[in-house]
Amino acid sequence: MKKLPKIELHLHLEGGAPPAFIRGLARDKKLDISGIFNEDGSYRFTDFWNFLKVYEAACTTLQNPEDFRRLTLAVLEESAASGVIYSETFLSPDFCGGRDLGAWREYLLAIREAADEAERSMGITLRGVVTCIRHFGPEKARETALCAAETAGDFITGFGIAGDEKVGAPKDYLWSFDCAREAGLRLTAHAGEWGGPDSVRAAIRDLGVERIGHGVRAIEDLALVDEIAERGVVLEVCPGSNVALGIYPTFRAHPIGQLYDRGVKVTVSTDDPPFFHTTMAREYDMLNRAFDWDEGVFATIARTSLDAAFCDADTKAKLARKLEAADA
Ligand code: ADE
Ligand code: ZN
């Protein structure tokens, strides 16, 4: 499974930070965040809401563009080792200079420097999707959207929303999504992870997104599943994340198989891989075992993911050639 070329559309950059990397930064800066780690060094959290707190505590160690340059390299190294050839990664101005546009530009420069280096040395391509954080509220989301709009282009290709789905409603963030849309950014939103089918409906209807982060709980309403399939809305499914956070007990019980069989455009991603003890290669392995998915299914998923990627046509053509070479 490691060798199959993979396209990943849903990875939070800070969520990809290996715990040892965060511990190293904490040591250098004399920050005591020992409470967020287990004795074996892994991240410690009890549920999704505690995970968000641990995530934000880990982010306090990421304090300057150089930290993000190194983080980006570390994350891309892991992804490339799993066979990922293209990664569309969520970037958060909240954690990159507190949504100040000047600071954000500097962080972005450092992230792009790492991306260029990774492309040269590992053959992996990175693009960014700026995300606002729902539980930080609509006001901060507007500042985030302005950062996204001002830096939209060949590298920043999209805008999205992550964080606690139980806070507020998608329509509270409409100004931000309209701002991003007007700047030419493509749109995605986390929904149907902690919210039910109505949360997915609201994200599609009220924000006009073309992709949904997770979206798996649409399975609780088959009319919605059929609507998603008909409209061609793409789901960024992260099975290992959903199992680790307890939404489903096992891969076998995860609805990705049913969604795929019903004609939904499903893609596969890791979300926050070290937090959930996963990698893209492991996701593929677990799906192979749970649903007997073979290389043909994974080739279809890679193609769906490439079609749904927010990057430009030239980048897609280059990636398509890599997928075709592997198929041959
Ligand atoms: N931020 C990082 N991981 C997340 C997830 N799984 N859901 C919502 N927000 C997140
Ligand atoms: Zn996510």
Side-chain angles (χ1 to χ4, degrees):
M1 290 295 154
K2 260 193 181 168
K3 283 197 206 131
L4 294 180
K6 303 171 185 72
I7 308 272
E8 177 158 40
L9 301 181
H10 189 123
L11 170 72
H12 301 261
L13 183 61
E14 307 85 12
F21 179 85
I22 294 295
R23 265 196 302 281
L25 289 180
R27 204 178 307 123
D28 294 347
K29 294 174 175 134
K30 302 192 176 12
L31 298 170
D32 181 11
I33 50 158
S34 52
I36 70 166
F37 300 109
N38 289 309
E39 267 172 23
D40 67 2
S42 59
Y43 290 113
R44 169 162 61 202
F45 50 89
T46 51
D47 61 13
F48 174 65
W49 292 273
N50 182 236
F51 155 78
L52 290 176
K53 287 211 169 78
V54 168
Y55 188 106
E56 284 159 27
C59 286
T60 62
T61 67
L62 294 160
Q63 297 182 344
N64 55 57
E66 173 59 12
D67 292 342
F68 270 84
R69 190 192 64 79
R70 290 181 51 220
L71 169 66
T72 305
L73 269 181
V75 171
L76 291 176
E77 222 165 88
E78 266 304 310
S79 298
S82 255
V84 176
I85 59 169
Y86 176 80
S87 180
E88 223 160 74
T89 300
F90 296 128
L91 306 178
S92 304
D94 288 282
F95 302 127
C96 295
R99 301 172 305 281
D100 173 80
L101 179 60
W104 166 241
R105 286 190 195 280
E106 286 178 24
Y107 279 80
L108 195 51
L109 219 56
I111 292 167
R112 292 193 68 163
E113 199 183 312
D116 290 345
E117 187 180 336
E119 180 128 28
R120 277 193 307 271
S121 63
M122 303 174 227
I124 182 169
T125 302
L126 178 70
R127 294 292 183 267
V129 174
V130 169
T131 37
C132 61
I133 297 174
R134 191 147 154 181
H135 55 276
F136 290 177
E139 197 72 35
K140 287 179 176 156
R142 284 189 199 114
E143 295 173 15
T144 304
L146 288 171
C147 285
E150 288 295 331
T151 53
D154 58 340
F155 185 76
I156 295 297
T157 57
F159 181 74
I161 183 166
D164 186 357
E165 232 193 285
K166 297 277 189 196
V167 173
K171 63 176 168 33
D172 302 337
Y173 299 85
L174 183 58
W175 189 95
S176 295
F177 276 76
D178 281 343
C179 170
R181 191 180 353 252
E182 282 163 24
L185 290 164
R186 311 270 298 269
L187 304 175
T188 176
H190 280 60
E193 180 190 22
W194 299 99
D198 283 346
S199 75
V200 178
R201 273 208 183 82
I204 297 171
R205 182 193 59 220
D206 297 339
L207 300 178
V209 295
E210 56 183 297
R211 295 192 338 218
I212 295 282
H214 301 284
V216 288
R217 290 194 50 205
I219 200 66
E220 293 162 30
D221 179 344
L222 292 180
L224 174 63
V225 172
D226 292 343
E227 190 186 330
I228 288 170
E230 267 161 38
R231 283 187 179 218
V233 173
V234 173
L235 301 189
E236 304 155 6
V237 183
C238 309
S241 161
N242 297 154
V243 172
L245 288 170
I247 301 174
Y248 303 104
T250 60
F251 268 71
R252 263 177 179 279
H254 193 282
I256 189 171
Q258 277 169 277
L259 291 164
Y260 179 82
D261 290 342
R262 232 177 145 92
V264 172
K265 290 184 178 178
V266 298
T267 64
V268 174
S269 295
T270 57
D271 213 4
D272 308 285
F275 283 85
F276 306 138
H277 304 281
T278 197
T279 62
M280 277 293 273
R282 176 180 175 270
E283 296 291 320
Y284 273 46
D285 268 331
M286 297 296 275
L287 292 168
N288 166 257
R289 277 187 232 165
F291 303 109
D292 211 20
W293 281 2
D294 59 13
E295 291 188 9
V297 175
F298 290 121
T300 301
I301 286 179
R303 190 65 237 189
T304 300
S305 306
L306 181 56
D307 290 344
F310 291 160
C311 61
D312 62 87
D314 282 353
T315 306
K316 282 195 187 190
K318 272 188 215 151
L319 294 164
R321 283 197 289 277
K322 287 193 186 181
L323 293 185
E324 282 152 19
D327 286 345

